Amino acid sequence: YFNAGWGNTSGGGVYVTNGGIVQNTLVIDCHIKNTTASYEKIVGGIHVGKNAKAVNCTVIGCTGSLCGGINATSDAGGVINCVMYDCQKILKNAVGDVETSLSPWKGTAAKFDHCATDEDTEITTGCFAGLTQAAFSNYKGGDYAPAYGELLFDNGAALESCPAVEMVWFQKTPQN
């Protein structure tokens, strides 16, 4: 658990800013501890700030008071080929009851490219919605690599580090 503090937006799993890059990273079950409205700036998974990027990252089962998955600020470098699944916004209301809602992403939609969530609608054009456990090789067994022939397989954006023919979310040999 990440014990949230006062101040600027932060990430419970990863906080990247000032041109930094978080790449090929799996963030699982990161949860913030303080969930009152005073802490509504905490991201459970990855916070992507000024000129920073998140590339080929997967965020699974995280909770935050701003969002559970990935937040991209308006001056972020981008969020590319990232997967956000089962991420929740969680807050305690004024009487202390905990309220949760599906919240895989937050921030500037235009910063997301070829990303996938379990929401009903895409973040923006070029992203994917409706993700289910079937998209992963073995979700219940903890293997979050793309399942061969499913939504995440061969649907990523081409990157300099990955030729167009290798457009998979993670470098993994497909298993039939």
Side-chain angles (χ1 to χ4, degrees), residues 25-106:
T25 301
L26 177 61
V27 180
I28 307 169
D29 292 331
C30 286
H31 306 282
I32 64 161
K33 189 174 182 180
N34 298 327
T35 58
T36 62
S38 301
Y39 297 95
E40 283 192 85
K41 294 183 176 183
I42 312 301
V43 179
I46 302 172
H47 170 78
V48 183
K50 185 176 183 178
N51 299 321
K53 291 182 181 180
V55 181
N56 292 340
C57 296
T58 299
V59 180
I60 304 282
C62 296
T63 59
S65 56
L66 180 64
C67 77
I70 299 176
N71 176 56
T73 62
S74 61
D75 58 358
V79 178
I80 306 156
N81 294 348
C82 291
V83 177
M84 296 144 278
Y85 186 77
D86 192 27
C87 294
Q88 305 282 321
K89 176 178 180 176
I90 183 168
L91 281 176
K92 288 183 184 172
N93 62 23
V95 295
D97 295 330
V98 175
E99 299 174 352
T100 61
S101 59
L102 182 65
S103 183
W105 73 279
K106 192 77 174 174

